[in-house]
């Protein structure tokens, strides 16, 4: 998810990855399911390869199709979700998208899928289809992330100009608030759908057509009548920024401790398609200070002024057990594709002494090594090593 806010009058939320939606569409196409009776469903994906050889009875096909329909309705941002719906969706995302979990175990742990357990043939076919869907999704994730970052950056000014015109034109009172949620599917077919006021689903082809996309975006904002209507906005499933996801580490790990500084690895947080690493510095001569920035639009301090970056000069290399590696000599560099990919980012609230790294993809089983050097702080080499299986088991 990527959010763009401007004051209190408008907000827009982008989802360029939409992993669950993309995987569900792949499963539908690979299994050649019939979705003609279900609204708000895009046409076939183009680049899924050959369909799965389905060895199912007509009854089993009907069972799988019905389950897929229920999953799709739950996954798309169409209706306000009850607490039970939100719990089901989190269960699906946490287990359906975890490639190391056998599908029969997924079915056993997700109430929404348990009807599928009645047929061994269904479980076998779905295991094959899910593995293929996750591999397809993995190979396209880096491309989608790069597109999302680039696209949101490029259109931010245009979106701001568009929304400010709409706010000026529609603001007879001071309580007007515009919100939009944009989900971009990884399909090569031109398709879009306004699911409900303020909620827009489209394919990447549409997002790349600027004239078409901005006309549709304007319709999305215009479909939101007022703040009073927005009080019924879908209950979003969001982890609060101040409550971090659980770490795979039982405790923090000291990487270096000298007369100048203590450098620790505080957290390693596994995600579906990568993991986060949180490093923290404590300068012995001046102690630790924390800076909180309240403005989400403000650039991170390390993008503004290199001399004020407390991690200036830090170099690191990430190495996987299968010999893939990535060397980062400048943490301020532009995002770029790689295998693995290492990207610096910030979490709210900002902490000047914390360094957050996003590394993608998840490492294979075996030694995952992060080696750092920081001559300016008297650190020639500091190595943090763990077994990649630790992240896959989370």
């Amino acid at each position: 998810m990527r959010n763009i806010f401007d004051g209190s009058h408008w907000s827009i939320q982008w989802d360029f990855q939409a992993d669950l939606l993309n995987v569900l569409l792949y499963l539908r196409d690979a299994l050649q399911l019939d979705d003609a009776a279900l609204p708000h469903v895009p046409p076939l994906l183009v680049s899924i390869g050959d369909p799965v050889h389905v060895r199912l009875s007509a009854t089993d096909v009907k069972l799988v199709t019905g389950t897929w329909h229920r999953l799709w309705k739950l996954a798309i941002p169409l209706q306000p979700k009850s607490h039970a719906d939100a719990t089901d969706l989190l269960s699906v995302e946490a287990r359906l998208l975890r490639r190391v979990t056998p599908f029969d175990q997924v079915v056993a742990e997700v109430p929404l899928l348990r009807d599928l357990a009645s047929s061994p043939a269904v479980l076998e076919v779905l295991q094959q289809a899910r593995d293929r869907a996750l591999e397809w999704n993995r190979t396209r994730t880096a491309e989608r992330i790069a597109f999302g970052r680039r696209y949101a950056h490029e259109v931010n000014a245009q979106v701001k100009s568009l929304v400010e015109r709409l706010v000026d034109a529609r603001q007879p009172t001071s309580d007007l608030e515009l919100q939009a949620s944009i989900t971009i599917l990884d399909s090569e077919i031109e398709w879009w759908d306004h699911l409900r006021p303020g909620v827009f689903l489209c394919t990447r082809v549409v997002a790349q057509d600027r004239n078409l996309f901005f006309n549709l975006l304007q319709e999305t904002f215009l479909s939101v009548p007022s703040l009073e209507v927005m009080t019924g906005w879908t209950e979003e499933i969001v982890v609060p920024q101040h409550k971090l996801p659980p770490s795979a580490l039982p405790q923090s790990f000291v990487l270096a401790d000298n007369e100048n500084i203590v450098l620790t690895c505080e957290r390693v947080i596994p995600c579906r398609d990568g993991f986060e690493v949180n490093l923290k510095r404590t300068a012995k001569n001046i102690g630790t200070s924390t800076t909180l920035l309240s403005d989400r639009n403000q650039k991170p301090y390390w993008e503004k002024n290199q001399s004020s970056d407390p991690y200036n000069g830090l170099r690191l290399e990430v190495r996987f057990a299968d010999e893939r590696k990535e060397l980062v000599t400048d943490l301020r560099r532009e995002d770029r594709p790689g295998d693995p990919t290492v990207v610096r980012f910030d979490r709210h609230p900002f902490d000047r002494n914390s360094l957050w790294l996003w590394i993608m993809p998840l490492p294979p089983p075996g030694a995952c090594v992060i080696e750092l050097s920081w001559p300016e702080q008297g650190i020639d080499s500091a190595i943090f090593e763990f077994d990649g299986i630790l992240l896959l088991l989370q």
Side-chain angles (χ1 to χ4, degrees):
M1 290 288 185
R2 180 178 292 270
N3 296 285
I4 300 174
F5 297 91
D6 187 74
S8 60
H9 292 300
W10 68 276
S11 66
I12 182 169
Q13 181 181 69
W14 309 88
D15 187 354
F16 289 95
Q17 291 181 254
D19 288 319
L20 181 58
L21 295 182
N22 280 314
V23 167
L24 287 176
L25 289 175
Y26 185 101
L27 288 174
R28 178 203 64 180
D29 297 351
L31 296 173
Q32 300 177 297
L33 302 180
D34 179 16
D35 60 16
L38 190 66
H40 309 299
V41 178
L44 297 177
L45 296 170
V46 172
S47 54
I48 68 164
D50 297 328
V52 173
H53 179 56
V54 179
R55 303 177 298 279
L56 300 178
S57 66
T59 301
D60 285 342
V61 170
K62 185 176 180 180
L63 173 65
V64 174
T65 302
T67 301
W68 189 92
H69 285 175
R70 293 196 300 275
L71 281 173
W72 183 258
K73 288 179 182 178
L74 183 65
I76 61 175
L78 181 59
Q79 298 293 336
K81 294 180 173 61
S82 67
H83 178 72
D85 288 338
T87 302
D88 273 349
L89 181 57
L90 289 173
S91 295
V92 170
E93 287 197 292
R95 294 176 175 86
L96 185 64
L97 300 178
R98 188 176 296 171
R99 74 181 69 243
V100 297
T101 307
F103 196 80
D104 56 354
Q105 183 179 335
V106 173
V107 168
E109 294 179 355
V110 179
L112 192 64
L113 303 178
R114 285 179 184 163
D115 289 347
L116 302 176
S118 60
S119 171
V122 165
L123 293 180
E124 179 185 352
V125 167
L126 286 176
Q127 176 75 64
Q128 177 188 355
R130 187 193 64 150
D131 289 348
R132 280 181 43 177
L134 292 179
E135 181 60 25
W136 171 83
N137 192 58
R138 184 192 68 79
T139 60
R140 301 171 75 87
T141 295
E143 180 184 355
R144 290 200 303 270
I145 289 177
F147 170 72
R149 290 198 177 101
R150 183 177 65 252
Y151 190 83
H153 176 74
E154 290 175 357
V155 304
N156 187 19
Q158 295 170 279
V159 169
K160 182 176 181 180
S161 175
L162 165 66
V163 178
E164 286 178 342
R165 290 200 306 271
L166 294 175
V167 170
D168 290 342
R170 298 186 56 203
Q171 197 168 3
T173 63
S174 61
D175 62 356
L176 176 67
E177 181 172 334
L178 299 178
Q179 298 188 32
S181 173
I182 316 296
T183 301
I184 312 238
L185 298 171
D186 197 26
S187 173
E188 299 164 26
I189 299 294
E190 184 178 285
W191 177 89
W192 67 86
D193 193 353
H194 282 101
L195 303 178
R196 59 185 178 81
V199 179
F200 181 57
L201 188 66
C202 71
T203 58
R204 185 162 56 169
V205 174
V206 173
Q208 290 171 323
D209 184 334
R210 295 296 171 80
N211 291 331
L212 172 61
F213 181 73
F214 274 98
N215 287 335
L216 295 170
L217 181 60
Q218 179 168 302
E219 292 178 23
T220 304
F221 274 114
L222 287 173
S223 68
V224 183
S226 68
L227 179 61
E228 286 75 21
V229 174
M230 294 310 299
T231 58
W233 190 258
T234 299
E235 176 187 351
E236 299 290 349
I237 304 171
V238 177
V239 177
Q241 293 288 347
H242 63 275
K243 185 177 180 181
L244 295 173
S247 173
L249 301 179
Q251 59 188 20
S252 61
F253 181 83
V254 177
L255 300 173
D257 184 352
N258 59 31
E259 60 182 10
N260 299 319
I261 192 173
V262 177
L263 182 65
T264 58
C265 180
E266 296 291 309
R267 300 171 186 85
V268 174
I269 300 174
C271 304
R272 289 195 300 265
D273 50 4
F275 60 103
E276 301 174 9
V277 175
N278 175 209
L279 305 180
K280 190 163 187 176
R281 64 183 283 275
T282 302
K284 290 184 175 180
N285 55 341
I286 59 173
T288 299
S289 62
T290 298
T291 301
L292 303 183
L293 305 179
S294 58
D295 182 1
R296 285 176 175 267
N297 282 317
Q298 191 171 352
K299 282 186 177 182
Y301 58 85
W302 45 269
E303 286 188 3
K304 293 179 177 181
N305 185 351
Q306 184 172 2
S307 63
S308 68
D309 181 3
Y311 284 92
N312 184 34
L314 177 68
R315 298 161 52 100
L316 63 94
E317 184 176 58
V318 177
R319 300 192 293 270
F320 288 174
D322 57 9
E323 298 185 352
R324 286 178 292 169
K325 61 184 179 180
E326 174 75 349
L327 175 64
V328 179
T329 59
D330 182 4
L331 291 171
R332 296 160 52 85
R333 70 180 188 178
E334 293 291 328
D335 295 352
R336 64 187 185 194
D339 193 7
T341 296
V342 181
V343 176
R344 182 180 184 176
F345 71 100
D346 261 323
R347 278 189 175 274
H348 292 271
F350 293 105
D351 179 352
R352 289 180 55 85
N353 292 287
S354 279
L355 171 67
W356 285 92
L357 301 170
W358 166 246
I359 302 173
M360 187 183 72
L362 287 168
C368 178
V369 178
I370 301 176
E371 182 171 2
L372 307 101
S373 64
W374 201 353
E376 291 87 341
Q377 296 294 339
I379 301 174
D380 294 328
S381 177
I383 295 179
F384 175 54
E385 180 177 334
F386 60 90
D387 193 325
I389 197 69
L390 182 67
L391 304 186
L392 298 176
L393 293 177
Q394 294 298 309

